[in-house]
Amino acid sequence: MKFKAPKWLSVAPVAAALVISLAACGGGTSEPSGTPTDALAGSDQKSLDTFTTADVTPLDKIDKSKLGLITDGTLRVGTLSDAPPNIFIDPSGKFTGYDNELLRAIGDKLGLKVEFASTDFSALLSQVGNKQFDVGSSSISTTDARRKTVGFTNGYDFGYMAIVTKSDSKVTGFADVKEGLRIGVVQGTVQDDYMTNTLKIEPVRFPDYNTVYGNVKNGQIDAWVAPSQQAEGQVKDGDNTKIAEKVVNTQNFTAYAVNKDNQPLIDALNSGLDAVIADGTWAKLTAEWYKDRPTAAEQTPQGWKPGSKAVQLPAK
């Protein structure tokens, strides 16, 4: 299935609200509020311009003694165990996936060991905020609400979103999301926020991706509003399920979460990120983990690019 660009929004009011209100995964609150909220406030071109750094500190100028790490020389990372291809545990017990392998590469540039531990969406940002983890790795959308709890690195990925259904479902896309349907979300994500606070539709909340997808397969829910990467990782041939629709939103970027008062660590991670972009590692990992992004055109749609404003992707 090909991505649909945002130009279709003018003819799909519900979907239009979705693109400005929905994002990739990560921790966050989803408590109902008195008035509609925009789950992606702060994920637009102005935010990209404001929060993307002009450049970074050279790697050889970073003082690792100033990084405020829980354990000197080690990045302690909170992540998830069930969200391929981004963040998951492989059969050997290794934490892997696009986000985590990219972070390992950044750690190598900084000369830091990377140590992962599993947690839940709903707890991750608060755990980073109170320094239980140095870093949160979970395709986290960078929004105004989340910046109240944590700081973020520069972006390393852009926003996707999808709706997953049974193959014969009457739900054909985001425009069909309405009251009366059982729409699943993972608790604490911005998809949860979107359903609850923007559409004012009570979703069916699940603790993790495996469980919500299982409920799509067995017909207990009508659809799952999902981060597109995780939808791709769950939907398999023979499951009698499909990704009914997915969209790209390059105005939303995902980043690693860090305690908002730990600017030295944010700066160091930004330096490492630029280094892995400049040497081709970012592009290599992107092609490896996202099979639908084999070339630079797919990896940088609509002019989007990762890292600081100064870094350049290597010429192909």
Side-chain angles (χ1 to χ4, degrees), residues 138-150:
S138 183
S139 294
I140 304 168
S141 300
T142 57
T143 67
D144 287 344
R146 289 172 173 175
R147 289 184 189 279
K148 295 176 182 178
T149 303
V150 296

Side-chain angles (χ1 to χ4, degrees), residues 49-131:
D49 292 341
T50 299
F51 293 110
T52 299
T53 64
D55 51 26
V56 298
T57 304
L59 285 173
D60 61 2
K61 300 297 184 183
I62 293 170
D63 184 349
K64 289 192 288 185
S65 70
K66 304 291 187 184
L67 300 185
L69 300 175
I70 297 167
T71 303
D72 287 344
T74 299
L75 288 173
R76 292 188 59 183
V77 182
T79 188
L80 307 179
S81 61
D82 69 334
N86 293 80
I87 46 246
F88 66 101
I89 299 175
D90 72 13
S92 73
K94 176 187 175 183
F95 284 93
T96 189
Y98 175 72
D99 300 62
N100 289 342
E101 295 302 335
L102 181 64
L103 188 54
R104 279 195 175 97
I106 291 170
D108 286 345
K109 293 292 185 182
L110 297 171
L112 297 173
K113 179 182 177 182
V114 183
E115 182 180 283
F116 294 96
S118 182
T119 188
D120 296 326
F121 272 173
S122 57
L124 179 57
L125 292 191
S126 62
Q127 289 170 335
V128 172
N130 65 26
K131 301 184 179 180

Side-chain angles (χ1 to χ4, degrees), residues 145-221:
R146 289 172 173 175
R147 289 184 189 279
K148 295 176 182 178
T149 303
V150 296
F152 288 107
T153 64
N154 286 328
Y156 61 84
D157 202 358
F158 50 86
Y160 283 95
M161 51 228 79
I163 188 160
V164 178
T165 68
K166 297 274 283 186
S167 297
D168 58 355
S169 174
K170 294 181 180 179
V171 178
T172 61
F174 291 120
D176 295 326
V177 176
K178 58 188 177 183
E179 192 72 54
L181 294 177
R182 291 174 58 81
I183 307 296
V185 297
V186 172
Q187 184 172 0
T189 62
V190 288
Q191 288 86 5
D192 187 352
D193 185 298
Y194 166 74
M195 291 294 299
T196 305
N197 295 324
T198 302
L199 289 189
K200 296 294 184 181
I201 296 173
E202 189 69 10
V204 183
R205 298 183 179 88
F206 296 91
D208 56 58
Y209 291 113
N210 287 335
T211 306
V212 66
Y213 180 61
N215 276 264
V216 174
K217 287 199 296 182
N218 65 26
Q220 293 300 306
I221 57 176

